[in-house]
Amino acid sequence: MNKWMKGLFLGIALLTSVPAKNTMAAGTYIMDGADPSIIKESGMYYSVQSDNNGIHLRRSDTLTGLNSFSTQTTVWWKPADLQQIWAPDLVKINNEYWIFFAASPGQPAESFDALNARHRTYALKSSSPGGPYTYMGKVQLPDDKWSIDATVVSYDYKHYIVWSGWAGDTNGEQNIYIAQVDVNNPMAMLSGRKIVSQPREAWELKDPNPPARINEGPQPIVKDGRLLIAFTANGSWGSNYCLGYVRLKAGGDPLNVTHYAKSDACKFQSSSSILGPGHHSWILQGLYDIGLMAYHGVPASQAGTGDWWQARDILYKSFSWTNANMWHSWENRNDYGPVPVLGEP
């Protein structure tokens, strides 16, 4: 999750908090916060969040029950030399549970920008979704560049790590990257990093004069043998924040960017009730013909009343797989099949 100079961004947020029309972004409130990562295991929901102290896990037999602090335990206290702990992602890999998160080596007295430029990906591991978790250290992603929002997906009997990162050592554009990892160890890289998406389409470039163009929060999903990576575009500081996706063609190579097609527009964006929905989490159930997704957004009633980021809520809605309302960027690519449609809860 990009977090920049708040004074600048509050001004941008106020300028960009006009809701888009003819879109749906309503949802059911879970709790205050942002960057949800929620999984369901054996009838229980598990959610991870971060703050300046470390990473915390909540568990409940209902999604809305995650709102209670009584369900929370701390699974990792950060050391003194790691700062800016961002966007933990909880994922089941084989029969283990991993939490990937971004952190910046340094001291609290250093400037925001100096720390931010050092963001890299770290990991925790457990044999149970509720912990205890073991700190695994830094994930040695290919090229060792700025990285956040990492997660792992299994596709065609191989495992891949997907994240948001910079091409070089300075800010300006965040891309979605992918690399193959060992099926038994997601910290062991088997390929270089490859581009999945760069912010190039009009719907990804809505922010006026931003400090960076952004693709972030990638969330892969595999259905009927097809890989789709949904992600959030535009800045998290305003209502242009929205979800789109890239989808791998049938038989395609996940490491080959030319084998992906990108959605033709934002597919989940601001409504009259919720602004800037994004950075979501698939909550898969069974064969997930119908499932749930969690995301964060700002209630329209709170837009412009204070800090945009502090106003974010975590909500959920249902999604289903259907050809009837297919996302349309595939029409001329001879590449058909069901894709997610985000529906009301």
Side-chain angles (χ1 to χ4, degrees):
M1 173 61 52
N2 247 280
K3 301 174 178 71
W4 304 98
M5 296 178 63
K6 291 191 175 181
L8 170 64
F9 284 173
L10 180 57
I12 296 174
L14 294 175
L15 289 173
T16 60
S17 61
V18 178
K21 296 182 179 179
N22 300 319
T23 58
M24 299 297 291
T28 301
Y29 175 84
I30 300 176
M31 57 182 160
D32 293 349
D35 308 337
S37 179
I38 302 173
I39 67 171
K40 187 178 184 182
E41 283 288 299
S42 302
M44 296 292 290
Y45 294 96
Y46 296 86
S47 172
V48 288
Q49 297 282 157
S50 64
D51 60 18
N52 290 331
N53 297 311
I55 294 175
H56 315 288
L57 181 144
R58 297 186 187 187
R59 74 187 88 190
S60 173
D61 59 0
T62 66
L63 272 173
T64 54
L66 294 172
N67 184 44
S68 174
F69 276 102
S70 67
T71 70
Q72 179 168 298
T73 58
T74 298
V75 296
W76 179 72
W77 295 101
K78 79 172 186 66
D81 60 352
L82 281 181
Q83 315 302 327
Q84 296 183 351
I85 313 301
W86 291 357
D89 189 88
L90 174 60
V91 59
K92 184 177 182 179
I93 305 173
N94 300 326
N95 290 314
E96 297 176 324
Y97 299 85
W98 289 75
I99 299 174
F100 298 96
F101 62 95
S104 293
Q107 299 303 315
E110 294 184 78
S111 72
F112 178 92
D113 288 341
L115 288 170
N116 174 53
R118 300 184 201 128
H119 261 113
R120 298 297 187 271
T121 295
Y122 296 78
L124 312 174
K125 182 177 77 168
S126 176
S127 60
S128 168
Y133 281 83
T134 300
Y135 177 56
M136 304 301 291
K138 180 181 172 182
V139 181
Q140 299 294 334
L141 293 173
D143 298 336
D144 192 27
K145 301 297 184 182
W146 189 93
S147 63
I148 63 172
D149 301 345
T151 191
V152 169
V153 62
S154 176
Y155 176 72
D156 195 24
Y157 305 104
K158 298 175 182 178
H159 287 181
Y160 299 88
I161 189 166
V162 185
W163 71 96
S164 176
W166 296 350
D169 296 319
T170 58
N171 189 27
E173 182 176 90
Q174 282 179 232
N175 305 317
I176 305 298
Y177 291 95
I178 191 170
Q180 186 180 347
V181 297
D182 188 283
V183 294
N184 296 310
N185 180 9
M187 298 184 70
M189 302 295 123
L190 299 183
S191 77
R193 68 170 184 165
K194 306 296 181 180
I195 285 279
V196 166
S197 176
Q198 295 172 278
R200 295 287 189 270
E201 303 299 319
W203 61 271
E204 302 170 286
L205 305 173
K206 290 184 176 181
D207 291 331
N209 302 313
R213 296 296 183 186
I214 295 168
N215 283 177
E216 65 183 14
Q219 284 292 303
I221 188 170
V222 178
K223 174 65 176 173
D224 297 332
R226 304 298 302 281
L227 173 64
L228 181 144
I229 302 173
F231 62 89
T232 313
N234 301 301
S236 62
W237 54 84
S239 64
N240 291 324
Y241 210 51
C242 70
L243 282 174
Y245 69 92
V246 291
R247 190 169 186 237
L248 190 67
K249 71 178 184 179
D253 177 1
L255 300 177
N256 189 333
V257 68
T258 68
H259 290 184
Y260 290 92
K262 185 176 288 190
S263 57
D264 55 357
C266 292
K267 296 303 178 180
F268 186 49
Q269 56 189 316
S270 293
S271 72
S272 59
S273 58
I274 301 295
L275 306 180
H279 202 124
H280 73 302
S281 173
W282 304 115
I283 309 171
L284 305 180
Q285 304 180 79
L287 297 176
Y288 50 91
D289 288 321
I290 297 176
L292 301 174
M293 61 170 287
Y295 64 96
H296 74 239
V298 174
S301 61
Q302 298 182 38
T305 61
D307 186 291
W308 181 270
W309 288 320
Q310 292 299 318
R312 293 176 296 187
D313 290 340
I314 293 175
L315 309 104
Y316 76 91
K317 32 185 309 110
S318 64
F319 71 90
S320 63
W321 298 85
T322 174
N323 284 317
N325 295 301
M326 182 181 291
W327 290 356
H328 294 299
S329 68
W330 295 96
E331 288 180 345
N332 298 317
R333 297 179 181 272
N334 298 315
D335 187 17
Y336 300 97
V339 296
V341 175
L342 308 182
E344 292 300 300

